Amino acid sequence: VFSPLQKQEVCGNLTLQHHMLEPVQRIPRYELLLKDYLKKLPEESPDRKDAEKSLELISTAANHSNAAIRKMEKMHKLLEVYERLGGEEDIVNPANELIKEGHIQKLSAKNGTAQDRYLFL
């Protein structure tokens, strides 16, 4: 369902989320463009030093952006785990981090039988 704003020709029938992704997608494009430019730029070119500095800056921005995206994805996954556990508010902590999850076998100390469990670490 399109909002009235999205129906405007200037929006190209694209969602707000699509428009918000464009700036994030530009950083890797600029990085690739600068790398390609530097491959073709002669070593003695007066633009070489500025192009190298620009590549260094855009690479730093790309690394920062990628790290922020990974952190958001991890937080989203952790919130999903909280919901699966019943939304217990006392376990919600921004310092928590989901390291691993999966099925395990718990062996009974009494009789050695295996019991299926699902573990969140």
Side-chain angles (χ1 to χ4, degrees), residues 36-86:
D36 194 42
Y37 177 66
L38 280 166
K39 284 180 190 174
K40 295 177 172 119
L41 190 65
E43 289 289 331
E44 64 278 354
S45 171
D47 291 336
R48 183 100 191 158
K49 191 171 187 173
D50 287 337
E52 288 172 347
K53 177 102 171 137
S54 296
L55 177 58
E56 184 181 321
L57 289 170
I58 201 75
S59 293
T60 299
N63 290 338
H64 178 72
S65 175
N66 290 338
I69 289 169
R70 282 191 300 276
K71 188 174 182 178
M72 287 292 293
E73 288 171 348
K74 283 184 172 184
M75 181 57 76
H76 182 70
K77 183 71 175 164
L78 188 59
L79 290 173
E80 287 177 2
V81 168
Y82 288 150
E83 287 177 15
R84 287 169 61 188
L85 294 174

Side-chain angles (χ1 to χ4, degrees), residues 81 84 98 100-104 116-121:
V81 168
R84 287 169 61 188
L98 179 65
K100 191 170 185 138
E101 68 175 284
H103 290 277
I104 64 165
D116 287 329
R117 296 284 191 263
Y118 197 84
L119 179 72
F120 296 99
L121 181 59

